[in-house]
Amino acid sequence: MGQQEKVSTSLAGAVSEGISASLAAVDAELDRRYPGDPGTRQPVHTVYVPGNVFDADTVRSWGDQALAALDEHAPDAASFAAVLGLTDDLAEDVYSRVRAKLEREPIEDLRVDFEDGYAGQDEDQDAARAARLISEACRNGTAAPYMGIRMKCMESAVRDRGIRTTDVFLTGLLENGGLPDGLVLTLPKVTYPEQVSAFVRLLEAFEKAHGLDAGRLGFEIQIETSQSILATDGTAAVARMIGAAEGRATGLHYGTFDYSACLGVSAAYQASDHPAADHAKAIMQVAAAGTGVRVSDGSTNVLPVGSKEHVHEAWRLHYGLTRRALARAYYQGWDMHPGHIPTRYAAVFAFYREGFEAAAKRLSAYANHAGGDVMDEPATAKALSSYLLRGIDCGALDTAEVDALTGMTRAALDRFAAPRRGDLTASAE
């Protein structure tokens, strides 16, 4: 080694200590408000089923209907690829993975709906039945990974009904074996942060009544009104809503049609790629970044039913919207009909398989300090590992093929994807 340089300083250690002391409150606030992504699986979609329609065979029925749609309108990889514009090198792999997914796990996230989609006559009975059926599905292995309900909102006209349905459903779960790990609650039509605070109080009261751990119950906030994006004082209300949830918010879900109607967008132009939708989701995305709250895109109301030509047209639309959302880092969306889930999975699988090899090689080069034609930074390594993990979780990628190209275990990928604050230098195992 050569001669070491003399190192001199001009400031006493007390200066650094004083600065650190002055920022202690900021450090604590950063840790509290921006804990980072939880590192858990995020479903690629949410399926809404009315509470009066939901039954024990709903998950399997959606899978069977989706498979039947493929059999009728795209019975092989070539025909499916022709509809969606899949390249030859992807066609067979994507098609076979879509069919396998529909047979194994057709729905990743299911919400029993007691709001806009509900048309039952006895909400108490339907909520209690939903709790019993979800509990039974969790015990016998037929449940979707995530399941729960969307209750009515906290507006005065339906508030008491929403509170009661939440109570009936959660009480039913406890009476039928306990709260499942994949439980999700969705609070719709939130306009003011105070409505989020009120829902927090409701969940706190339920936890206290049953001796549950504080914070056991989380929920998603549905963004369906202009006031939830921009408050009357010009601030971003959605950011205040995340704070009002006191750590219980798990997601922000964009409601395509309610939000569009709120802004006066005519019915023919209400879509998830409308400029108004892009603006709202961009605000949601920035507000949620780093908080551990995930953003979900909305849905399309163009259903793939009827003639082959119409089904193919609806599939192309849905596929394109899903790919567009993925490129914008909206990794979850809503699906309204069994015919949507073949193109949901096709879009998701193609997205991950197209970029798999490049992402794996870039991450491997970064982890092994091997260099390459792209100079990646720690934050990019985090994004690359998150991309691979999402692909594995949904079934687009296999763990073995990711291991083979990256030389990294799942644990190593997890460390890159969710490093500690200020430490983006994980190493491969």
Side-chain angles (χ1 to χ4, degrees):
M1 293 179 63
Q3 182 179 358
Q4 291 190 347
E5 296 289 340
K6 179 183 176 182
V7 177
S8 302
T9 62
S10 301
L11 302 177
V15 174
S16 178
E17 293 171 2
I19 290 174
S20 292
S22 72
L23 292 174
V26 171
D27 293 340
E29 184 75 349
L30 281 170
D31 287 338
R32 184 178 73 83
R33 289 189 178 272
Y34 300 102
D37 190 86
T40 55
R41 175 182 180 182
Q42 181 181 9
V44 303
H45 69 168
T46 301
V47 162
Y48 281 80
V49 178
N52 55 300
V53 174
F54 175 67
D55 213 334
D57 68 346
T58 293
V59 173
R60 185 62 265 153
S61 173
W62 272 59
D64 290 343
Q65 291 178 68
L67 285 166
L70 279 180
D71 290 340
E72 181 176 359
H73 300 294
D76 52 44
S79 56
F80 198 47
V83 173
L84 304 181
L86 295 173
T87 57
D88 291 343
D89 59 322
L90 282 176
E92 189 62 48
D93 196 5
V94 168
Y95 188 75
S96 62
R97 286 177 184 272
V98 168
R99 293 196 70 97
K101 181 75 169 180
L102 296 176
E103 292 166 356
R104 181 186 73 255
E105 189 181 74
I107 295 176
E108 291 197 355
D109 184 28
L110 186 147
R111 208 70 71 249
V112 184
D113 191 14
F114 290 96
E115 202 229 356
D116 284 348
Y118 181 66
Q121 301 301 312
D122 192 332
E123 192 161 332
D124 278 358
Q125 286 297 310
D126 287 337
R129 185 171 63 92
R132 175 177 57 81
L133 292 176
I134 288 175
S135 296
E136 291 173 356
C138 290
R139 285 195 298 271
N140 63 31
T142 61
Y146 297 92
M147 300 185 80
I149 65 167
R150 176 171 70 170
M151 67 293 296
K152 290 177 173 63
C153 68
M154 297 300 286
E155 294 178 355
S156 59
V158 294
R159 183 183 303 138
D160 288 345
R161 180 66 261 179
I163 291 171
R164 182 174 175 84
T165 295
T166 304
D167 187 6
V168 169
F169 176 71
L170 293 175
T171 300
L173 290 177
L174 291 179
E175 291 175 345
N176 284 277
L179 303 179
D181 291 338
L183 174 65
V184 188
L185 305 174
T186 303
L187 180 65
K189 292 183 175 61
V190 180
T191 304
Y192 282 81
E194 289 81 1
Q195 294 169 327
V196 174
S197 297
F199 197 65
V200 169
R201 302 288 86 78
L202 169 63
L203 299 182
E204 286 178 338
F206 189 89
E207 289 167 349
K208 184 176 180 180
H210 292 278
L212 300 173
D213 291 340
R216 169 64 181 86
L217 295 166
F219 60 99
E220 301 165 336
I221 301 170
Q222 217 163 347
I223 304 301
E224 301 176 90
T225 66
S226 61
Q227 297 92 338
S228 61
I229 295 297
L230 188 68
T232 55
D233 61 0
T235 60
V238 64
R240 293 168 54 207
M241 290 174 185
I242 293 174
E246 300 178 22
R248 294 177 184 265
T250 59
L252 299 175
H253 282 228
Y254 176 69
T256 303
F257 304 103
D258 281 280
Y259 188 87
S260 298
C262 181
L263 267 63
V265 179
S266 61
Y269 297 97
Q270 293 177 0
S272 62
D273 59 351
H274 189 280
D278 285 341
H279 172 262
K281 286 179 287 190
I283 300 298
M284 292 162 60
Q285 191 174 47
V286 173
T291 65
V293 178
R294 280 126 169 209
V295 175
S296 173
D297 198 2
S299 60
T300 174
N301 59 0
V302 179
L303 304 184
V305 297
S307 68
K308 184 182 294 291
E309 291 73 17
H310 180 76
V311 170
H312 287 180
E313 182 180 351
W315 274 352
R316 280 189 289 269
L317 173 66
H318 186 242
Y319 179 87
L321 290 173
T322 303
R323 287 300 304 262
R324 183 181 190 273
L326 290 167
R328 286 159 174 75
Y330 307 132
Y331 298 112
Q332 185 175 355
W334 301 7
D335 288 330
M336 308 288 286
H337 186 273
H340 282 143
I341 54 178
T343 39
R344 169 70 60 181
Y345 290 129
V348 170
F349 293 171
F351 174 75
Y352 288 110
R353 295 212 64 81
E354 282 176 356
F356 158 54
E357 186 172 336
K361 289 181 177 178
R362 282 177 65 180
L363 183 60
S364 178
Y366 176 86
N368 293 293
H369 309 287
D373 58 358
V374 179
M375 187 172 69
D376 286 321
E377 297 184 352
T380 304
K382 176 180 178 180
L384 290 167
S385 55
S386 296
Y387 173 89
L388 296 173
L389 287 168
R390 289 180 185 278
I392 291 171
D393 286 341
C394 70
L397 306 176
D398 301 324
T399 302
E401 64 180 344
V402 174
D403 288 351
L405 274 188
T406 61
M408 300 168 67
T409 65
R410 171 77 191 230
L413 291 172
D414 284 334
R415 285 202 305 276
F416 272 107
R420 298 184 301 275
R421 176 177 298 282
D423 179 15
L424 286 169
T425 55
S427 60
E429 286 186 347

